[in-house]
Amino acid sequence: MALSNVEFQSEQQFVTELYERLEDLRDQAERAVQGALREGATGFQARLERDVLVAEQSGLLSMLNAAENGLCFGRLDFSDGRRHHIGRIGIRQDDAERTPLVLDWRAEQARPFYLATGHVPMGLRRRRHITLEDRRVTALHDEILDLTDTERSGYEGADADAVLLAALDAARTGRMHDIVQTIQAEQDRVIRSPHQGVLVVEGGPGTGKTAVALHRAAYLLYAYRELLAKRGVLIVGPNPSFLDYIGEVLPSLGETGVLLAAPGDLFPGLHATGTDRPGAAAVKGRAAMAEVLARVVADRQTLPEHVPSGSGEDSEIVPEPALEIDHEGYGTLLLDRTMAHAARDRARATHLPHNPARPYFAFAVIDALTAQLVDRLGADPFGGPNLLGPDDIAQLAKEIATSPEVHAAIDTLWPHLTPRRLITEFLADPTHLSEEDAALIRRTSGDWTPADVPLLDEAAELLGLDDSAERAAAERDRLERVAYAQGVLDLSQGSESFEFEDQESEYLAAHDIIDAERMAERHEEADHRTTAERAAADRTWAFGHVIVDEAQELSEMTWRLLMRRCPTRSMTLVGDPAQTGDEAGVGSWERILEPYAGARWDRVRLEVNYRTPAEIMELAAGVLRAHRPDFEPPRSVRSTGVAPLVRAVDDLAGAVAETVREVAPAQGRLAVIAPRPLHAALAAALPGVTAGQEPDLTRPVVLLDPLQAKGLEFDTVIVAEPARLRPSDLYVALTRATQHLAVLHTGSLPEGLTP
């Protein structure tokens, strides 16, 4: 038998054994879950232990299922005789020993797979790439790193980049795949950077920024599991379609507990799908909006404006503006401007947000009205001391505090506000803005937009949550549990045998090892939601790490929101200022980070373009060079030999449809990228293509605008009417193709786009 066949069959046998071990682990996890669910758990502690076991084994089962495809992809042969297989997750040979059957790609021992070279072999003799389809080995590719070693397997390749190029040339499916088998050295160094601080990963189109960020998330969860499993990792992408596109990457690497969100999803309970008018998002995104909203909230803390009718008719003194409060049995009370001003000053002096400060305002008003009523009812006609005693005054205060009319007056001057109510009313009548800006954002109806989300979050921060009633109820429940627990312990103590009354018992009773407080804590209801589920529902959740893709697109107000979500500033920001397309985008890393991190951030740049062929990249670079002569695009690693097609047409929709028929790949995906106003006409000419909604990227042909196309890639791209796109948007559109590009136009070409 030929040596090459022996090697091939040996790898197939190993893969077969590996999947048998995978099945064993899966069966064990399933049996553990089913066994725990069948057993009747009685008592809180037993139920808690059962739920923890079910959660752990279910998580393991999800990880095993997600990582099954292409479980093993490489092998390291060391000069000292050691041999390690590399896979998406680590699997031990058996439960008793910790000997790895396959190393997790994130383990330190696996780094030579990504970093070793002929000049720096890192102890390696050979590096093997293994290609699987389902559970079958279909290809081997060996790289010889120790040139003095004469042993050959028959699978050595002259091109060390053959595996990478094969992955780049593969047809797209509408879903991003992990790059765990082809991580390059510059990418590996970024992926394994320490998690502390802010790391900016900058790079042009096709440099693998998104893939690096996702693999970095998987690595951090592996290296800092205890920390990040508790606090969670948030990944922010530009839109829901992009999140669908990347959604399978982390599960394929065994990580299923990460929260993915678009900017419009970052306020709990809200999915913002509306669209702003041109210019509105830029106004809403300015950092100055934080001060505007603070003034809007302050405006809602009002004082009486009108003088009550009939007030001061028999007096030369000009009466104060006041609210008339009809108090049953005692006539009319007046809450005048001086009283309200003093109450407002008292509440503001607490420096609490609006809603938590409201009770202080209410208490001050109640005290002032009580004093007014005491003066009225207890005044001595002969000028002596007040005739009401402490009990009488306390009773009057209680009546005022429970008066619906008094609470209505308090609501008028210091209303309880919700973020949605405040922002809805602000957008209907924008204040503290120029007339031009107010006109841009004014809206009396319609869906929430992504640019509204940071405003809602800022409003929530300014308003706060008055949870005093909930805290009081929780404390009552806790005291009831403690009292019940104490009763149980008392019964336990009283049930001891009378034979030990005169001597110290050698037996421990329940009250000897636990007190009522601890016993009550054990019986609190546990929260069994995943970290991601709890984080998604909690606006104040502090994530252990935050990753932002297309970070240059986010507004200053969105950055305020995200920094609140990550007070430790442990973040990875991915983007390219040259591709900034959103009108509210900050673009500059310095402008984004200096207000929050000062100089405590680092930037790395990826210089190699793995996606875009050199022919397409050169055409796209001309668009930006026309405005920035010193612009240098990332270096493409491959060339297809096919120049982009640039064609003038008369009937745009018909020409697009015809070109789709001509160049649509037999396998893979095609995208038509055009300005949004053209979508309806183009969709009508393309069978099965719809306009005006989030596209299904798994379909053979999709219609997008440049903003929707950010971060995506397709085998073939058709760009329509390039002159109607801004240079940065056109640059994005032109660099989405991995194989073929066509540009169709009815008018003149934009500056820099030379056929």
Side-chain angles (χ1 to χ4, degrees):
M1 181 180 295
L3 178 61
S4 59
N5 289 336
V6 172
E7 288 281 340
F8 200 92
Q9 292 188 10
S10 175
E11 290 295 358
Q12 181 62 66
Q13 181 179 353
F14 172 80
V15 168
T16 300
E17 293 174 356
L18 177 60
Y19 277 102
E20 288 175 354
R21 177 62 177 152
L22 177 73
E23 292 297 342
D24 289 341
L25 292 172
R26 190 148 49 193
D27 290 343
Q28 291 175 22
E30 288 178 344
R31 287 196 302 269
V33 170
Q34 296 303 320
L37 294 176
R38 280 196 302 269
E39 293 180 3
T42 58
F44 175 80
Q45 191 66 25
R47 292 197 304 273
L48 178 60
E49 292 174 356
R50 177 201 63 192
D51 292 345
V52 169
L53 173 64
V54 169
E56 289 178 347
Q57 295 301 314
S58 297
L60 173 61
L61 199 56
S62 297
M63 180 183 71
L64 295 173
N65 290 336
E68 177 180 0
N69 186 32
L71 180 58
C72 175
F73 57 81
R75 194 182 84 186
L76 299 175
D77 293 357
F78 288 87
S79 298
D80 61 8
R82 288 179 297 130
R83 176 179 292 180
H84 292 304
H85 280 84
I86 310 296
R88 281 172 167 74
I89 59 174
I91 294 181
R92 296 197 299 269
Q93 291 184 4
D94 54 51
D95 296 329
E97 298 183 14
R98 302 192 66 82
T99 305
L101 187 61
V102 61
L103 280 177
D104 192 299
W105 67 275
R106 297 165 287 189
E108 187 64 23
Q109 302 96 310
R111 291 204 77 180
F113 189 79
Y114 303 110
L115 299 181
T117 66
H119 294 291
V120 186
M122 301 178 71
L124 282 189
R125 178 174 63 86
R126 179 192 310 273
R127 173 169 47 211
R128 169 168 290 176
H129 295 268
I130 303 171
T131 303
L132 301 182
E133 289 184 8
D134 295 325
R135 301 185 177 190
R136 185 169 52 88
V137 177
T138 59
L140 301 177
H141 180 84
D142 286 346
E143 297 176 58
I144 302 299
L145 299 174
D146 182 359
L147 299 181
T148 64
D149 187 350
T150 58
E151 181 181 334
R152 294 293 180 263
S153 65
Y155 292 101
E156 291 79 13
D159 186 354
D161 293 326
V163 176
L164 171 63
L165 294 175
L168 297 178
D169 286 332
R172 269 45 190 173
T173 64
R175 293 289 181 264
M176 176 182 276
H177 296 296
D178 64 69
I179 61 168
V180 65
Q181 189 172 354
T182 58
I183 293 173
Q184 302 300 292
E186 67 167 356
Q187 297 171 329
D188 182 80
R189 284 187 284 271
V190 175
I191 289 169
R192 297 173 189 265
S193 297
H195 81 286
Q196 297 94 341
V198 180
L199 176 65
V200 174
V201 183
E202 184 179 288
T207 53
K209 301 183 300 296
T210 298
V212 166
L214 294 175
H215 288 69
R216 176 163 168 75
Y219 170 75
L220 293 177
L221 284 164
Y222 172 86
Y224 306 98
R225 178 76 63 187
E226 184 175 351
L227 171 66
L228 296 184
K230 294 178 182 178
R231 301 311 311 164
V233 173
L234 169 66
I235 296 180
V236 180
N239 52 60
S241 293
F242 176 84
L243 297 179
D244 287 342
Y245 175 66
I246 68 171
E248 296 177 2
V249 173
L250 284 170
S252 74
L253 300 174
E255 300 297 344
T256 58
V258 174
L259 178 62
L260 277 66
D265 302 326
L266 291 174
F267 193 80
L270 181 69
H271 178 54
T273 58
T275 302
D276 278 304
R277 290 182 295 177
V283 175
K284 294 177 183 178
R286 296 173 189 158
M289 285 301 299
E291 179 60 29
V292 168
L293 292 180
R295 296 170 67 184
V296 169
V297 171
D299 288 346
R300 304 304 296 271
Q301 301 162 1
T302 59
L303 301 174
E305 296 291 340
H306 303 290
V307 176
S309 59
S311 176
E313 291 179 352
D314 300 327
S315 173
E316 296 181 357
I317 301 175
V318 177
E320 275 194 272
L323 292 181
E324 292 182 286
I325 303 173
D326 293 328
H327 189 55
E328 185 178 356
Y330 300 109
T332 300
L333 297 175
L334 289 180
L335 176 55
D336 62 38
R337 194 177 183 88
T338 298
M339 295 162 58
H341 202 294
R344 186 174 72 175
D345 287 347
R346 177 179 170 183
R348 287 179 174 178
T350 64
H351 301 291
L352 292 170
H354 176 87
N355 289 328
R358 184 175 180 273
Y360 293 89
F361 178 82
F363 293 150
V365 167
I366 291 168
D367 289 346
L369 293 176
T370 300
Q372 184 181 122
L373 191 55
V374 167
D375 288 344
R376 179 188 302 175
L377 298 179
D380 184 348
F382 302 104
N386 196 285
L387 301 177
L388 296 179
D391 292 343
D392 299 321
I393 295 174
Q395 180 60 35
L396 289 176
K398 182 177 180 181
E399 292 178 10
I400 288 177
T402 57
S403 166
E405 291 77 16
V406 170
H407 282 280
I410 292 171
D411 285 338
T412 299
L413 301 179
W414 196 296
H416 182 278
L417 296 172
T418 66
R420 296 195 189 203
R421 173 185 168 186
L422 182 77
I423 300 304
T424 296
E425 294 174 353
F426 168 69
L427 293 177
D429 183 21
T431 56
H432 305 294
L433 292 172
S434 68
E435 292 184 7
E436 180 182 0
D437 288 346
L440 284 173
I441 70 170
R442 185 174 288 111
R443 186 182 75 215
T444 56
S445 62
D447 296 329
W448 293 106
T449 72
D452 294 331
V453 169
L455 304 187
L456 290 165
D457 196 76
E458 190 73 27
E461 198 73 10
L462 293 166
L463 297 177
L465 176 66
D466 178 13
D467 60 351
S468 54
E470 291 83 354
R471 285 188 284 107
E475 179 63 13
R476 287 195 299 271
D477 291 343
R478 189 188 70 82
L479 293 175
E480 289 177 4
R481 289 196 303 271
V482 171
Y484 174 80
Q486 188 62 57
V488 172
L489 292 175
D490 291 343
L491 288 174
S492 171
Q493 184 176 8
S495 66
E496 291 183 59
S497 172
F498 66 89
E499 296 179 2
F500 297 101
E501 288 180 358
D502 296 330
Q503 57 182 316
E504 185 178 351
S505 172
E506 62 184 34
Y507 298 100
L508 289 175
H511 58 80
D512 293 315
I513 58 177
I514 191 170
D515 58 22
E517 290 274 355
R518 292 184 180 180
M519 188 173 180
E521 289 175 2
R522 284 192 174 187
H523 286 77
E524 290 182 9
E525 191 65 32
D527 187 348
H528 300 306
R529 292 176 298 170
T530 66
T531 298
E533 290 170 339
R534 286 184 284 125
D538 185 354
R539 192 193 70 83
T540 63
W541 188 273
F543 287 91
H545 194 79
V546 172
I547 293 176
V548 185
D549 205 320
E550 301 293 346
Q552 77 281 349
E553 300 292 339
L554 301 188
S555 70
E556 292 171 315
M557 288 298 291
T558 304
W559 282 113
R560 285 177 63 88
L561 179 157
L562 286 176
M563 292 299 174
R564 283 193 284 266
R565 299 292 195 274
C566 191
T568 61
R569 306 293 187 261
S570 176
M571 309 179 83
T572 303
L573 312 183
V574 180
D576 179 14
Q579 298 183 62
T580 304
D582 194 291
E583 58 186 357
V586 176
S588 164
W589 303 124
E590 288 78 8
R591 285 183 58 201
I592 291 171
L593 294 172
E594 285 182 358
Y596 305 102
R600 300 183 302 277
W601 59 280
D602 194 16
R603 170 170 47 191
V604 296
R605 182 166 181 84
L606 302 176
E607 300 286 357
V608 180
N609 184 334
Y610 299 98
R611 175 205 305 143
T612 316
E615 295 84 357
I616 296 176
M617 197 67 229
E618 183 59 27
L619 179 73
V623 173
L624 291 188
R625 285 199 184 109
H627 304 273
R628 294 166 45 191
D630 60 342
F631 172 74
E632 285 298 328
R635 175 177 55 85
S636 296
V637 300
R638 64 196 178 101
S639 172
T640 61
V642 180
L645 169 68
V646 180
R647 178 187 297 169
V649 300
D650 295 323
D651 174 14
L652 182 67
V656 168
E658 180 182 354
T659 306
V660 168
R661 290 191 293 270
E662 290 176 357
V663 302
Q667 295 181 329
R669 300 295 179 268
L670 182 148
V672 177
I673 304 178
R676 182 58 68 94
L678 302 180
H679 281 204
L682 292 175
L686 297 171
V689 175
T690 56
Q693 55 185 283
E694 291 295 338
D696 178 0
L697 298 176
T698 63
R699 296 185 64 83
V701 179
V702 294
L703 177 62
L704 308 169
D705 62 30
L707 188 59
Q708 290 175 310
K710 280 185 175 293
L712 308 181
E713 60 184 24
F714 304 89
D715 300 88
T716 302
V717 170
I718 300 173
V719 178
E721 294 294 27
R724 296 181 61 174
L725 299 175
R726 294 184 301 179
S728 59
D729 289 343
L730 178 56
Y731 180 63
V732 170
L734 295 172
T735 54
R736 299 305 98 191
T738 65
Q739 300 293 338
H740 305 290
L741 171 68
V743 180
L744 305 179
H745 60 102
T746 59
S748 60
L749 287 172
E751 186 179 2
L753 187 61
T754 305

